[in-house]
Amino acid sequence: METLILKDIEFRPDKEALMKRLHLDESFEEEFDDILAEAVQVARPKAVVRMLAVEVEGPRQVKMDEEHFESRILAVNLEKVKRAFAYVASCGRELYELSLSKSDPLERYWVDTISEQALGSAMLYLRKITQEKFHTGSLRAMNPGSLADWPIGQQKPLFRAIGNVMEDIGVELTDTFLMLPVKSGSGLLFETEQSYENCSMCPRTDCPNRRAQFDKEKFEREYAL
């Protein structure tokens, strides 16, 4: 199956949004401008995506190429498709190393927040190119570790299915299944015209990044065994 390695990703930071996110007023603007200029100079967001053949083997078992995954929600979401797109996207090691080089915790926090925006740029470009290259319809995403039903340990077969992610875009998977650079994201894109949002399948109420409310009725109707 075909793999796309995306390295020439344009990054145009939204300064106003960054300053709002960081709660910075005009008294910090000059100092922040210096950090932002430094970050933009080195930023090289990257992504890799690989098309995988899908075979649902059971109510919780999915085979993609030669790797096996276990998740009821994943099995239901993929039961009507023949392919899916495993991906890793990242702000790039350049921004990660810039963050590590900062001895001032505040400056490091600023670089980390800029890195989040760079990751966002990588994700948007990844989706755009995947749709164009593989002529897909609407794409939805699932991410290992975002749901109890698809735990973070499934990062390991996902990375194996993609290939040599470290060599391709500089993202390594740690022994605890976290990624370095920290501002990286991984998951699976799949085609569907149905609405799906990971957050709507998660009952956690204390998640600061929640994008949708838990839909207990839909979960029990469509995914419960």
Side-chain angles (χ1 to χ4, degrees), residues 16-24 109 113 116 209:
E16 183 178 347
L18 286 166
M19 291 188 67
K20 184 176 180 180
R21 171 78 182 275
L22 292 165
H23 306 289
L24 300 180
Y109 178 55
T113 303
E116 288 180 9
N209 297 316

Side-chain angles (χ1 to χ4, degrees), residues 2-100:
E2 188 172 357
T3 300
L4 304 178
I5 301 171
L6 309 174
K7 293 185 177 181
D8 297 321
I9 300 175
E10 186 177 29
F11 175 46
R12 292 184 178 181
D14 185 334
K15 175 184 168 181
E16 183 178 347
L18 286 166
M19 291 188 67
K20 184 176 180 180
R21 171 78 182 275
L22 292 165
H23 306 289
L24 300 180
D25 58 28
E26 294 179 356
S27 65
F28 287 94
E29 186 170 7
E30 185 175 350
E31 185 178 357
F32 180 71
D33 281 346
D34 291 340
I35 296 296
L36 184 58
E38 188 177 7
V40 169
Q41 185 176 11
V42 303
R44 299 293 184 275
K46 302 175 181 68
V48 58
V49 59
R50 179 173 175 80
M51 184 172 70
L52 305 176
V54 172
E55 183 178 354
V56 177
E57 299 182 321
R60 293 183 56 83
Q61 290 76 41
V62 179
K63 181 181 178 182
M64 287 184 276
D65 285 5
E66 298 305 315
E67 297 296 334
H68 293 269
F69 301 85
E70 185 170 345
S71 161
R72 171 60 180 169
I73 297 176
L74 184 68
V76 171
N77 283 342
L78 299 185
E79 64 183 353
K80 295 181 180 180
V81 302
K82 299 297 183 183
R83 62 180 184 172
F85 306 92
Y87 72 85
V88 176
S90 174
C91 69
R93 295 199 76 88
E94 297 83 359
L95 276 175
Y96 176 59
E97 289 170 0
L98 177 63
S99 174
L100 294 179

Side-chain angles (χ1 to χ4, degrees), residues 39 60-61 78 111 121 124 132 170 172 176 178 198:
R60 293 183 56 83
Q61 290 76 41
L78 299 185
V111 175
S121 295
L124 288 173
E132 292 176 356
E172 60 181 304
T176 56
L178 299 178
N198 256 355

Side-chain angles (χ1 to χ4, degrees), residues 114-170:
I114 296 167
S115 299
E116 288 180 9
Q117 227 182 59
L119 170 59
S121 295
M123 280 301 311
L124 288 173
Y125 188 72
L126 165 68
R127 279 179 172 267
K128 176 178 179 291
I129 294 300
T130 299
Q131 288 182 307
E132 292 176 356
K133 180 68 176 180
F134 297 108
H135 309 288
T136 74
S138 297
L139 292 173
R140 303 292 180 178
M142 289 187 65
N143 316 94
S146 63
L147 296 171
D149 180 70
W150 201 27
I152 197 170
Q154 296 274 276
Q155 287 270 63
K156 195 168 185 179
L158 185 75
F159 267 62
R160 287 199 303 261
I162 296 172
N164 194 336
V165 180
M166 178 61 184
E167 180 177 320
D168 289 341
I169 62 169

